[in-house]
């Protein structure tokens, strides 16, 4: 996405009326939570609970997820960033701290580059800024897998990537909930999200992001690994990296206390 004139609406097509919840204190700094692929805003419940005492908190469903309408296709990062811009503008609370998990973090980076006027700070969790060609191929393969086999084809491998075996054994209820959400997801939307993810390449522009940034990653995340977070933390001037011990891709679900501790420390220090 190029640098945009903030008044321009030519960035992309937008999805009307994304579903959102708003909690916390109006007038306090705005924090916007952006969920991972196939999930929805309810997966931020532990973070909303931790943040609502001190912040104005919005969590929204990405287009085609949760209770938000299905977007037109093709749907790219420009579209997702424009959707987020609309959420922020409608909130009328000034620049926000964007907290994005995985694809949510990719969208947050995209918006920070396109509309820095809307962004106060970034917290990027279990995410990446680019892919090597093999990674891009794997991502395109996930889109193809869903198109052929539907959501059922990806449930087990997704759970295996997203959670450590120890957490899976301790909290089968959480995996069951995620499995139900995956099964209920729209396969066309899911495939389109992977197509979108396969195009991500903001790494060459990370140095342009001049907002306070916290990068967090599960120590055992196999898919958006620590090395990818190190690239982001090295690229964004002044960014801080926190590695969440014994957590995988879904660090905010596996280790909510640890994630919230870092998140609150970061936000309270802004
Ligand atoms: O599922 C994975 O392996 C990675 C997920 C990803 O990149 C997108 C997301 O979780 O939002």
């Amino acid at each position: 996405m190029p640098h945009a004139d903030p008044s321009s609406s030519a960035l992309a097509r937008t999805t009307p009326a994304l579903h959102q919840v708003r909690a916390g204190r109006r007038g306090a700094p705005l924090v916007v939570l952006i969920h991972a692929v196939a999930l929805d805003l309810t997966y931020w419940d532990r973070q909303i609970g931790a943040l609502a005492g001190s912040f104005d908190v919005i969590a929204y469903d990405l287009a085609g997820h949760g209770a938000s309408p299905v977007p037109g296709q093709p749907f790219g990062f420009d579209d997702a960033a424009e959707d987020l811009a609309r959420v922020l503008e409608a909130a009328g609370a000034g620049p926000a701290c964007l907290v994005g998990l995985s694809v949510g973090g990719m969208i947050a980076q995209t918006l920070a580059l396109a509309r820095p006027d809307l962004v106060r700070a970034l917290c990027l969790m279990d995410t990446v800024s680019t892919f090597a060609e093999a990674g891009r191929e794997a991502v395109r393969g996930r889109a193809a897998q869903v198109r052929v086999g539907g959501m059922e084809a990806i449930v087990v491998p997704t759970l295996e990537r997203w959670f450590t075996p120890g957490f899976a054994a301790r909290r089968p209820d959480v995996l069951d909930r995620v499995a139900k959400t995956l099964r209920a997801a729209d396969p066309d939307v899911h495939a389109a999200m992977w197509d979108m993810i396969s195009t991500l390449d903001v790494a060459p522009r990370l140095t342009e992001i001049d907002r306070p940034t916290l990068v967090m990653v599960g120590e055992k995340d196999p898919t958006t690994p620590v090395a990818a977070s190190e690239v982001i933390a090295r690229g964004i001037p002044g960014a801080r990296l926190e590695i969440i011990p014994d957590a995988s891709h879904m660090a905010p679900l596996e280790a909510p206390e640890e994630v919230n501790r870092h998140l609150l420390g970061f936000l309270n220090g802004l």
Side-chain angles (χ1 to χ4, degrees), residues 118-146:
L118 294 176
V119 180
R120 166 76 182 90
L122 291 172
C123 175
L124 306 171
M125 296 186 198
D126 293 280
T127 193
V128 299
S129 54
T130 190
F131 294 95
E133 194 43 44
R136 240 175 256 290
E137 196 53 48
V139 166
R140 285 192 287 264
R142 286 186 198 143
Q145 205 180 358
V146 168

PDB file of all heavy atoms in Angstrom, residues 118-146:
ATOM      1  N   LEU A 118      -3.457   7.684  12.106  1.00  0.00           N
ATOM      2  CA  LEU A 118      -4.460   6.967  12.897  1.00  0.00           C
ATOM      3  C   LEU A 118      -3.844   6.097  13.983  1.00  0.00           C
ATOM      4  O   LEU A 118      -4.565   5.456  14.749  1.00  0.00           O
ATOM      5  CB  LEU A 118      -5.308   6.064  11.980  1.00  0.00           C
ATOM      6  CG  LEU A 118      -6.201   6.774  10.961  1.00  0.00           C
ATOM      7  CD1 LEU A 118      -6.902   5.753  10.062  1.00  0.00           C
ATOM      8  CD2 LEU A 118      -7.233   7.643  11.679  1.00  0.00           C
ATOM      9  N   VAL A 119      -2.519   6.038  14.029  1.00  0.00           N
ATOM     10  CA  VAL A 119      -1.848   5.045  14.878  1.00  0.00           C
ATOM     11  C   VAL A 119      -1.008   5.728  15.953  1.00  0.00           C
ATOM     12  O   VAL A 119      -0.127   6.540  15.654  1.00  0.00           O
ATOM     13  CB  VAL A 119      -0.960   4.118  14.012  1.00  0.00           C
ATOM     14  CG1 VAL A 119      -0.263   3.082  14.881  1.00  0.00           C
ATOM     15  CG2 VAL A 119      -1.797   3.444  12.926  1.00  0.00           C
ATOM     16  N   ARG A 120      -1.274   5.390  17.209  1.00  0.00           N
ATOM     17  CA  ARG A 120      -0.484   5.913  18.329  1.00  0.00           C
ATOM     18  C   ARG A 120       0.676   4.979  18.657  1.00  0.00           C
ATOM     19  O   ARG A 120       1.768   5.408  19.005  1.00  0.00           O
ATOM     20  CB  ARG A 120      -1.412   6.055  19.553  1.00  0.00           C
ATOM     21  CG  ARG A 120      -0.719   6.262  20.887  1.00  0.00           C
ATOM     22  CD  ARG A 120      -0.203   7.678  21.036  1.00  0.00           C
ATOM     23  NE  ARG A 120       0.511   7.885  22.281  1.00  0.00           N
ATOM     24  CZ  ARG A 120       1.818   7.701  22.458  1.00  0.00           C
ATOM     25  NH1 ARG A 120       2.573   7.313  21.451  1.00  0.00           N
ATOM     26  NH2 ARG A 120       2.389   7.920  23.624  1.00  0.00           N
ATOM     27  N   ALA A 121       0.409   3.659  18.584  1.00  0.00           N
ATOM     28  CA  ALA A 121       1.427   2.657  18.939  1.00  0.00           C
ATOM     29  C   ALA A 121       0.988   1.312  18.365  1.00  0.00           C
ATOM     30  O   ALA A 121      -0.168   1.144  17.953  1.00  0.00           O
ATOM     31  CB  ALA A 121       1.573   2.565  20.453  1.00  0.00           C
ATOM     32  N   LEU A 122       1.925   0.372  18.357  1.00  0.00           N
ATOM     33  CA  LEU A 122       1.644  -0.954  17.804  1.00  0.00           C
ATOM     34  C   LEU A 122       2.056  -2.033  18.795  1.00  0.00           C
ATOM     35  O   LEU A 122       3.142  -1.958  19.387  1.00  0.00           O
ATOM     36  CB  LEU A 122       2.465  -1.190  16.529  1.00  0.00           C
ATOM     37  CG  LEU A 122       2.123  -0.378  15.290  1.00  0.00           C
ATOM     38  CD1 LEU A 122       3.195  -0.625  14.222  1.00  0.00           C
ATOM     39  CD2 LEU A 122       0.749  -0.756  14.754  1.00  0.00           C
ATOM     40  N   CYS A 123       1.204  -3.046  18.933  1.00  0.00           N
ATOM     41  CA  CYS A 123       1.628  -4.280  19.597  1.00  0.00           C
ATOM     42  C   CYS A 123       1.386  -5.415  18.604  1.00  0.00           C
ATOM     43  O   CYS A 123       0.236  -5.687  18.239  1.00  0.00           O
ATOM     44  CB  CYS A 123       0.853  -4.495  20.895  1.00  0.00           C
ATOM     45  SG  CYS A 123       1.274  -6.080  21.623  1.00  0.00           S
ATOM     46  N   LEU A 124       2.465  -6.011  18.149  1.00  0.00           N
ATOM     47  CA  LEU A 124       2.405  -7.007  17.075  1.00  0.00           C
ATOM     48  C   LEU A 124       2.724  -8.377  17.665  1.00  0.00           C
ATOM     49  O   LEU A 124       3.824  -8.613  18.140  1.00  0.00           O
ATOM     50  CB  LEU A 124       3.423  -6.636  15.992  1.00  0.00           C
ATOM     51  CG  LEU A 124       3.283  -5.204  15.446  1.00  0.00           C
ATOM     52  CD1 LEU A 124       4.459  -4.850  14.542  1.00  0.00           C
ATOM     53  CD2 LEU A 124       1.960  -5.034  14.704  1.00  0.00           C
ATOM     54  N   MET A 125       1.720  -9.258  17.641  1.00  0.00           N
ATOM     55  CA  MET A 125       1.876 -10.563  18.300  1.00  0.00           C
ATOM     56  C   MET A 125       1.891 -11.701  17.277  1.00  0.00           C
ATOM     57  O   MET A 125       0.989 -11.782  16.436  1.00  0.00           O
ATOM     58  CB  MET A 125       0.675 -10.837  19.214  1.00  0.00           C
ATOM     59  CG  MET A 125       0.510  -9.916  20.369  1.00  0.00           C
ATOM     60  SD  MET A 125      -0.859 -10.554  21.377  1.00  0.00           S
ATOM     61  CE  MET A 125      -1.240  -9.113  22.327  1.00  0.00           C
ATOM     62  N   ASP A 126       2.872 -12.586  17.426  1.00  0.00           N
ATOM     63  CA  ASP A 126       2.912 -13.809  16.602  1.00  0.00           C
ATOM     64  C   ASP A 126       2.567 -13.482  15.149  1.00  0.00           C
ATOM     65  O   ASP A 126       1.607 -13.992  14.581  1.00  0.00           O
ATOM     66  CB  ASP A 126       1.947 -14.859  17.172  1.00  0.00           C
ATOM     67  CG  ASP A 126       2.422 -15.362  18.525  1.00  0.00           C
ATOM     68  OD1 ASP A 126       3.312 -16.229  18.553  1.00  0.00           O
ATOM     69  OD2 ASP A 126       1.933 -14.844  19.552  1.00  0.00           O
ATOM     70  N   THR A 127       3.392 -12.623  14.584  1.00  0.00           N
ATOM     71  CA  THR A 127       3.108 -12.180  13.227  1.00  0.00           C
ATOM     72  C   THR A 127       4.399 -12.112  12.417  1.00  0.00           C
ATOM     73  O   THR A 127       5.473 -12.449  12.916  1.00  0.00           O
ATOM     74  CB  THR A 127       2.357 -10.831  13.261  1.00  0.00           C
ATOM     75  OG1 THR A 127       1.821 -10.565  11.965  1.00  0.00           O
ATOM     76  CG2 THR A 127       3.248  -9.680  13.693  1.00  0.00           C
ATOM     77  N   VAL A 128       4.285 -11.697  11.179  1.00  0.00           N
ATOM     78  CA  VAL A 128       5.450 -11.578  10.300  1.00  0.00           C
ATOM     79  C   VAL A 128       5.302 -10.293   9.484  1.00  0.00           C
ATOM     80  O   VAL A 128       4.241  -9.658   9.478  1.00  0.00           O
ATOM     81  CB  VAL A 128       5.564 -12.786   9.331  1.00  0.00           C
ATOM     82  CG1 VAL A 128       5.733 -14.085  10.089  1.00  0.00           C
ATOM     83  CG2 VAL A 128       4.381 -12.877   8.394  1.00  0.00           C
ATOM     84  N   SER A 129       6.394  -9.949   8.775  1.00  0.00           N
ATOM     85  CA  SER A 129       6.346  -8.775   7.904  1.00  0.00           C
ATOM     86  C   SER A 129       6.551  -9.172   6.442  1.00  0.00           C
ATOM     87  O   SER A 129       6.327  -8.363   5.539  1.00  0.00           O
ATOM     88  CB  SER A 129       7.418  -7.774   8.317  1.00  0.00           C
ATOM     89  OG  SER A 129       8.690  -8.410   8.345  1.00  0.00           O
ATOM     90  N   THR A 130       7.003 -10.400   6.225  1.00  0.00           N
ATOM     91  CA  THR A 130       7.221 -10.894   4.869  1.00  0.00           C
ATOM     92  C   THR A 130       7.374 -12.407   4.941  1.00  0.00           C
ATOM     93  O   THR A 130       7.346 -12.994   6.032  1.00  0.00           O
ATOM     94  CB  THR A 130       8.471 -10.257   4.232  1.00  0.00           C
ATOM     95  OG1 THR A 130       8.506 -10.579   2.830  1.00  0.00           O
ATOM     96  CG2 THR A 130       9.762 -10.740   4.897  1.00  0.00           C
ATOM     97  N   PHE A 131       7.498 -13.046   3.811  1.00  0.00           N
ATOM     98  CA  PHE A 131       7.757 -14.494   3.758  1.00  0.00           C
ATOM     99  C   PHE A 131       8.884 -14.765   2.776  1.00  0.00           C
ATOM    100  O   PHE A 131       8.988 -14.085   1.746  1.00  0.00           O
ATOM    101  CB  PHE A 131       6.529 -15.254   3.236  1.00  0.00           C
ATOM    102  CG  PHE A 131       5.339 -15.205   4.151  1.00  0.00           C
ATOM    103  CD1 PHE A 131       4.338 -14.255   3.961  1.00  0.00           C
ATOM    104  CD2 PHE A 131       5.214 -16.110   5.198  1.00  0.00           C
ATOM    105  CE1 PHE A 131       3.241 -14.219   4.799  1.00  0.00           C
ATOM    106  CE2 PHE A 131       4.117 -16.076   6.040  1.00  0.00           C
ATOM    107  CZ  PHE A 131       3.124 -15.124   5.837  1.00  0.00           C
ATOM    108  N   ALA A 132       9.677 -15.776   3.055  1.00  0.00           N
ATOM    109  CA  ALA A 132      10.561 -16.329   2.026  1.00  0.00           C
ATOM    110  C   ALA A 132       9.665 -17.041   1.019  1.00  0.00           C
ATOM    111  O   ALA A 132       8.502 -17.350   1.312  1.00  0.00           O
ATOM    112  CB  ALA A 132      11.534 -17.313   2.665  1.00  0.00           C
ATOM    113  N   GLU A 133      10.213 -17.307  -0.181  1.00  0.00           N
ATOM    114  CA  GLU A 133       9.360 -17.882  -1.232  1.00  0.00           C
ATOM    115  C   GLU A 133       8.734 -19.209  -0.794  1.00  0.00           C
ATOM    116  O   GLU A 133       7.568 -19.486  -1.067  1.00  0.00           O
ATOM    117  CB  GLU A 133      10.137 -18.032  -2.546  1.00  0.00           C
ATOM    118  CG  GLU A 133       9.263 -18.302  -3.771  1.00  0.00           C
ATOM    119  CD  GLU A 133       7.974 -17.438  -3.848  1.00  0.00           C
ATOM    120  OE1 GLU A 133       8.035 -16.215  -3.595  1.00  0.00           O
ATOM    121  OE2 GLU A 133       6.885 -17.998  -4.130  1.00  0.00           O
ATOM    122  N   ALA A 134       9.479 -20.014  -0.038  1.00  0.00           N
ATOM    123  CA  ALA A 134       8.920 -21.299   0.425  1.00  0.00           C
ATOM    124  C   ALA A 134       7.746 -21.068   1.359  1.00  0.00           C
ATOM    125  O   ALA A 134       6.736 -21.791   1.314  1.00  0.00           O
ATOM    126  CB  ALA A 134      10.003 -22.112   1.124  1.00  0.00           C
ATOM    127  N   GLY A 135       7.855 -20.050   2.198  1.00  0.00           N
ATOM    128  CA  GLY A 135       6.768 -19.717   3.117  1.00  0.00           C
ATOM    129  C   GLY A 135       5.539 -19.245   2.356  1.00  0.00           C
ATOM    130  O   GLY A 135       4.404 -19.614   2.673  1.00  0.00           O
ATOM    131  N   ARG A 136       5.777 -18.433   1.335  1.00  0.00           N
ATOM    132  CA  ARG A 136       4.663 -17.941   0.505  1.00  0.00           C
ATOM    133  C   ARG A 136       3.953 -19.115  -0.161  1.00  0.00           C
ATOM    134  O   ARG A 136       2.732 -19.165  -0.252  1.00  0.00           O
ATOM    135  CB  ARG A 136       5.223 -16.995  -0.568  1.00  0.00           C
ATOM    136  CG  ARG A 136       4.671 -15.607  -0.484  1.00  0.00           C
ATOM    137  CD  ARG A 136       5.323 -14.668  -1.480  1.00  0.00           C
ATOM    138  NE  ARG A 136       6.274 -13.786  -0.828  1.00  0.00           N
ATOM    139  CZ  ARG A 136       5.962 -12.793  -0.002  1.00  0.00           C
ATOM    140  NH1 ARG A 136       4.705 -12.542   0.269  1.00  0.00           N
ATOM    141  NH2 ARG A 136       6.886 -12.053   0.559  1.00  0.00           N
ATOM    142  N   GLU A 137       4.752 -20.073  -0.607  1.00  0.00           N
ATOM    143  CA  GLU A 137       4.195 -21.269  -1.261  1.00  0.00           C
ATOM    144  C   GLU A 137       3.340 -22.053  -0.259  1.00  0.00           C
ATOM    145  O   GLU A 137       2.237 -22.512  -0.574  1.00  0.00           O
ATOM    146  CB  GLU A 137       5.358 -22.126  -1.784  1.00  0.00           C
ATOM    147  CG  GLU A 137       4.987 -23.185  -2.797  1.00  0.00           C
ATOM    148  CD  GLU A 137       4.203 -22.615  -3.975  1.00  0.00           C
ATOM    149  OE1 GLU A 137       4.616 -21.580  -4.547  1.00  0.00           O
ATOM    150  OE2 GLU A 137       3.153 -23.202  -4.289  1.00  0.00           O
ATOM    151  N   ALA A 138       3.822 -22.179   0.973  1.00  0.00           N
ATOM    152  CA  ALA A 138       3.076 -22.906   2.006  1.00  0.00           C
ATOM    153  C   ALA A 138       1.749 -22.206   2.287  1.00  0.00           C
ATOM    154  O   ALA A 138       0.706 -22.849   2.471  1.00  0.00           O
ATOM    155  CB  ALA A 138       3.909 -23.011   3.284  1.00  0.00           C
ATOM    156  N   VAL A 139       1.784 -20.887   2.313  1.00  0.00           N
ATOM    157  CA  VAL A 139       0.574 -20.111   2.582  1.00  0.00           C
ATOM    158  C   VAL A 139      -0.435 -20.304   1.442  1.00  0.00           C
ATOM    159  O   VAL A 139      -1.633 -20.529   1.678  1.00  0.00           O
ATOM    160  CB  VAL A 139       0.949 -18.622   2.775  1.00  0.00           C
ATOM    161  CG1 VAL A 139      -0.269 -17.735   2.727  1.00  0.00           C
ATOM    162  CG2 VAL A 139       1.688 -18.442   4.101  1.00  0.00           C
ATOM    163  N   ARG A 140       0.061 -20.250   0.211  1.00  0.00           N
ATOM    164  CA  ARG A 140      -0.844 -20.485  -0.925  1.00  0.00           C
ATOM    165  C   ARG A 140      -1.408 -21.900  -0.857  1.00  0.00           C
ATOM    166  O   ARG A 140      -2.565 -22.144  -1.202  1.00  0.00           O
ATOM    167  CB  ARG A 140      -0.114 -20.259  -2.256  1.00  0.00           C
ATOM    168  CG  ARG A 140       0.110 -18.788  -2.577  1.00  0.00           C
ATOM    169  CD  ARG A 140       0.557 -18.592  -4.019  1.00  0.00           C
ATOM    170  NE  ARG A 140       1.935 -19.007  -4.227  1.00  0.00           N
ATOM    171  CZ  ARG A 140       2.992 -18.171  -4.201  1.00  0.00           C
ATOM    172  NH1 ARG A 140       2.824 -16.885  -4.001  1.00  0.00           N
ATOM    173  NH2 ARG A 140       4.208 -18.630  -4.405  1.00  0.00           N
ATOM    174  N   GLY A 141      -0.597 -22.825  -0.354  1.00  0.00           N
ATOM    175  CA  GLY A 141      -1.048 -24.218  -0.213  1.00  0.00           C
ATOM    176  C   GLY A 141      -2.213 -24.328   0.762  1.00  0.00           C
ATOM    177  O   GLY A 141      -3.118 -25.146   0.575  1.00  0.00           O
ATOM    178  N   ARG A 142      -2.213 -23.483   1.814  1.00  0.00           N
ATOM    179  CA  ARG A 142      -3.323 -23.525   2.778  1.00  0.00           C
ATOM    180  C   ARG A 142      -4.617 -23.059   2.117  1.00  0.00           C
ATOM    181  O   ARG A 142      -5.690 -23.607   2.388  1.00  0.00           O
ATOM    182  CB  ARG A 142      -2.994 -22.668   3.989  1.00  0.00           C
ATOM    183  CG  ARG A 142      -1.966 -23.362   4.842  1.00  0.00           C
ATOM    184  CD  ARG A 142      -1.691 -22.652   6.140  1.00  0.00           C
ATOM    185  NE  ARG A 142      -0.422 -23.169   6.623  1.00  0.00           N
ATOM    186  CZ  ARG A 142       0.503 -22.474   7.243  1.00  0.00           C
ATOM    187  NH1 ARG A 142       0.293 -21.206   7.522  1.00  0.00           N
ATOM    188  NH2 ARG A 142       1.635 -23.027   7.621  1.00  0.00           N
ATOM    189  N   ALA A 143      -4.525 -22.065   1.257  1.00  0.00           N
ATOM    190  CA  ALA A 143      -5.720 -21.616   0.523  1.00  0.00           C
ATOM    191  C   ALA A 143      -6.236 -22.764  -0.341  1.00  0.00           C
ATOM    192  O   ALA A 143      -7.443 -23.064  -0.365  1.00  0.00           O
ATOM    193  CB  ALA A 143      -5.385 -20.399  -0.331  1.00  0.00           C
ATOM    194  N   ALA A 144      -5.319 -23.430  -1.023  1.00  0.00           N
ATOM    195  CA  ALA A 144      -5.724 -24.525  -1.911  1.00  0.00           C
ATOM    196  C   ALA A 144      -6.342 -25.673  -1.118  1.00  0.00           C
ATOM    197  O   ALA A 144      -7.350 -26.273  -1.540  1.00  0.00           O
ATOM    198  CB  ALA A 144      -4.515 -25.012  -2.709  1.00  0.00           C
ATOM    199  N   GLN A 145      -5.756 -25.953   0.038  1.00  0.00           N
ATOM    200  CA  GLN A 145      -6.247 -27.063   0.876  1.00  0.00           C
ATOM    201  C   GLN A 145      -7.715 -26.827   1.267  1.00  0.00           C
ATOM    202  O   GLN A 145      -8.540 -27.745   1.221  1.00  0.00           O
ATOM    203  CB  GLN A 145      -5.385 -27.112   2.139  1.00  0.00           C
ATOM    204  CG  GLN A 145      -5.308 -28.445   2.810  1.00  0.00           C
ATOM    205  CD  GLN A 145      -4.413 -28.389   4.057  1.00  0.00           C
ATOM    206  OE1 GLN A 145      -3.829 -27.347   4.375  1.00  0.00           O
ATOM    207  NE2 GLN A 145      -4.329 -29.492   4.758  1.00  0.00           N
ATOM    208  N   VAL A 146      -8.038 -25.609   1.626  1.00  0.00           N
ATOM    209  CA  VAL A 146      -9.420 -25.285   2.024  1.00  0.00           C
ATOM    210  C   VAL A 146     -10.346 -25.341   0.820  1.00  0.00           C
ATOM    211  O   VAL A 146     -11.484 -25.813   0.912  1.00  0.00           O
ATOM    212  CB  VAL A 146      -9.470 -23.887   2.677  1.00  0.00           C
ATOM    213  CG1 VAL A 146     -10.898 -23.406   2.825  1.00  0.00           C
ATOM    214  CG2 VAL A 146      -8.801 -23.934   4.022  1.00  0.00           C
TER     215      VAL A 146
END
